[in-house]
Amino acid sequence: AEPGVAPTLAVAARLVRLRGEVRVYGAPGDSPVPARTGQALLDGQHVETVGEEAFAAIVCLDATRVELGANARAAFDAGGKRIVLDSGVLRADVAKQPRGASVVLATPHAEVRVLGTRFVLSANPKATTVEVEEGTVRLSRRQDGASTVVLPGQYASVRGRDPVVARAVRAWRSWDVVMNPGEGMQAV
């Protein structure tokens, strides 16, 4: 950048639907500002939903749609090609990507690389879980690279040093979240 000229940040995504208290942070440690429907999210900005009724729908530049459930926090980078879920649950409907391109969703424990699919990603302090509704994803443990392919109707979790294995969805839904199309996520 030229001396005296501030760097330009690229737009990563846009907030398209909000419910309850939703905040946007410029960077960790920054003071939050209330989110607004239609607001552009710049690379590196975080969105946080606060409270059990909070919900945010975000559309990335490639038409990938991300829904953040209650008490979730995520950052958007690289035009929405990299999304970091710090905590909470998100549902993603990833637009089909050009050959060789992918969207990466990361949590403190794992990384999900997708080419175009629909899935739910959950992160808490101890684990990351992905449930695939449509398409295929690869879930990888960040610590050692252990990974598995997750197919439609399956889920897989990264929890400590436990094996990273895909399983049928019915066991996971019983304790985590249920998606209500158009209404976001609810704990069960």
Side-chain angles (χ1 to χ4, degrees):
E2 294 180 40
V5 176
T8 303
L9 294 175
V11 172
R14 188 164 305 278
L15 294 165
V16 295
R17 185 167 171 235
L18 306 173
R19 182 177 65 221
E21 185 177 351
V22 180
R23 303 174 184 165
V24 175
Y25 293 80
D30 283 357
S31 296
V33 296
R36 299 177 326 276
T37 299
Q39 178 178 353
L41 295 174
L42 303 178
D43 276 347
Q45 285 190 310
H46 289 76
V47 177
E48 181 179 44
T49 57
V50 181
E52 294 302 317
E53 299 299 316
F55 169 83
I58 300 115
V59 175
C60 300
L61 297 179
D62 67 355
T64 291
R65 182 179 173 92
V66 175
E67 297 176 351
L68 288 180
N71 298 309
R73 182 178 168 107
F76 294 78
D77 284 316
K81 296 293 187 182
R82 182 169 179 80
I83 302 165
V84 179
L85 178 66
D86 297 323
S87 62
V89 178
L90 71 72
R91 178 180 186 273
D93 188 353
V94 177
K96 185 152 181 64
Q97 301 297 301
R99 185 185 265 311
S102 62
V103 173
V104 175
L105 288 96
T107 71
H109 322 98
E111 185 173 278
V112 176
R113 185 171 300 273
V114 295
L115 305 175
T117 190
R118 186 173 23 241
F119 60 93
V120 177
L121 182 65
S122 172
N124 64 44
K126 294 184 180 181
T128 295
T129 301
V130 64
E131 175 188 334
V132 176
E133 298 172 11
E134 180 181 297
T136 303
V137 304
R138 175 173 294 282
L139 177 68
S140 303
R141 183 171 29 230
R142 295 177 91 171
Q143 186 179 33
D144 62 7
S147 68
T148 190
V149 171
V150 188
L151 303 173
Q154 294 182 329
Y155 78 98
S157 295
V158 170
R159 181 182 307 273
R161 304 285 300 156
D162 291 353
V164 181
V165 179
R167 295 183 170 88
V169 165
R170 65 187 181 287
W172 179 61
R173 280 190 191 257
S174 66
W175 62 270
D176 206 349
V177 296
V178 173
M179 297 299 300
N180 294 315
E183 294 301 319
M185 294 144 259
Q186 297 178 343
V188 293

